[in-house]
Amino acid sequence: MSDMNSHPKQETTLLLVKPDGVKRGLTGEILRRIELRGLKIVGLTMITPKRDELDNHYPNDDGWLTRVGEKTLSTYEKYGYDAEKELGTTNPLKIGKEVRTWLLDFMTSGPIVKVAIQGIHAVEMVRKLVGATMPSAAEMGTIRGDFSVDSAAAANRDKRSVHNLAHASETVEEAKKELMLWFAANELHDYKRAEEDIMF
Ligand code: ADP
């Protein structure tokens, strides 16, 4: 992997088209947006992931779980729903653990497409293309903003995770870990896009 990232600003990141993205036929549109931006697809496969792969993929520390739980609590508050009544608790850590279980249920509910993407500041660029976690907050022009409608309050009422079409690594460190998890070395490819000499 280090060879592939030889330029100091060259990064490789992971995007997963989630089961809702695949089932809605949005895989092509998502890939199109990545490629049009000038980012290079260096790995691409459809898989039906196993639960333990997702279990390794999503963080499981108290900090992450609490942050996820807090997202639920803030949307419940925003829309005037009673978290205690609906979820049986207002403890963000407990809610985060519950949401993580729903997320694993969702991510194993059908095929996903794993995509390794390389480019200048690829981690940040792909996060920007994907947009904010909650579709109701994602800007127009982003994948989530243009094609999904959901919120934590709506999702958690139905005991499910938010359906927001795609996952993208959040940091360079996370990208490295996730790429190791999802791609074998021989599944990542090295080539030059035609415009690389012109643009960089
Ligand atoms: P992102 O995918 O934008 O990096 P997170 O890492 O915070 O966001 O969460 C991972 C995924 O878990 C989200 O994309 C979403 O599908 C789901 N999710 C996060 N928070 C909640 C929540 N409070 N309720 C339901 N689903 C959630």
Side-chain angles (χ1 to χ4, degrees):
M1 192 79 66
S2 58
D3 286 345
M4 297 185 78
N5 293 326
S6 54
H7 191 287
K9 291 185 198 135
Q10 258 321 327
E11 294 169 0
T12 311
T13 191
L14 175 84
L15 178 135
L16 300 175
V17 182
K18 295 184 176 185
D20 56 330
V22 172
K23 284 183 185 156
R24 286 183 51 199
L26 288 170
T27 303
E29 175 64 26
I30 293 169
L31 297 178
R32 188 183 77 91
R33 289 177 176 219
I34 292 163
E35 290 198 298
L36 281 182
R37 185 84 194 256
L39 293 159
K40 181 162 61 178
I41 293 173
V42 294
L44 178 65
T45 315
M46 179 178 278
I47 53 165
T48 299
K50 296 184 184 64
R51 202 173 178 89
D52 65 319
E53 289 175 308
L54 267 322
D55 202 22
N56 288 327
H57 169 86
Y58 281 111
N60 204 1
D61 56 278
D62 287 2
W64 189 84
L65 294 166
T66 302
R67 188 170 60 76
V68 167
E70 276 162 358
K71 281 190 207 172
T72 295
L73 289 172
S74 69
T75 57
Y76 267 69
E77 195 178 311
K78 182 175 169 193
Y79 297 107
Y81 301 140
D82 185 343
E84 178 74 50
K85 204 166 124 201
E86 289 187 24
L87 304 172
T89 178
T90 53
N91 177 322
L93 178 61
K94 277 193 187 154
I95 296 172
K97 283 184 180 164
E98 186 82 324
V99 170
R100 191 175 186 276
T101 307
W102 297 331
L103 184 56
L104 297 197
D105 292 343
F106 172 53
M107 291 297 288
T108 51
S109 67
I112 64 171
V113 176
K114 56 177 187 175
V115 194
I117 303 156
Q118 197 177 44
I120 305 282
H121 304 304
V123 173
E124 197 182 335
M125 299 265 183
V126 174
R127 287 288 289 189
K128 198 169 168 188
L129 280 176
V130 168
T133 306
M134 295 302 156
S136 48
E139 297 289 344
M140 295 293 117
T142 64
I143 291 163
R144 288 168 172 170
D146 286 352
F147 302 116
S148 61
V149 187
D150 205 358
S151 82
N156 296 175
R157 274 200 154 180
D158 298 337
K159 310 270 179 241
R160 61 171 178 82
S161 88
V162 166
H163 293 177
N164 55 8
L165 303 170
H167 161 84
S169 311
E170 200 168 350
T171 62
V172 173
E173 276 310 299
E174 199 175 281
K176 278 191 186 132
K177 185 191 139 227
E178 293 179 357
L179 286 162
M180 293 254 287
L181 180 69
W182 292 106
F183 283 93
N186 67 359
E187 289 179 307
L188 293 171
H189 305 275
D190 198 8
Y191 66 99
K192 217 169 188 189
R193 268 184 63 146
E195 73 281 4
E196 273 185 69
D197 289 329
I198 305 162
M199 284 170 64
F200 312 136

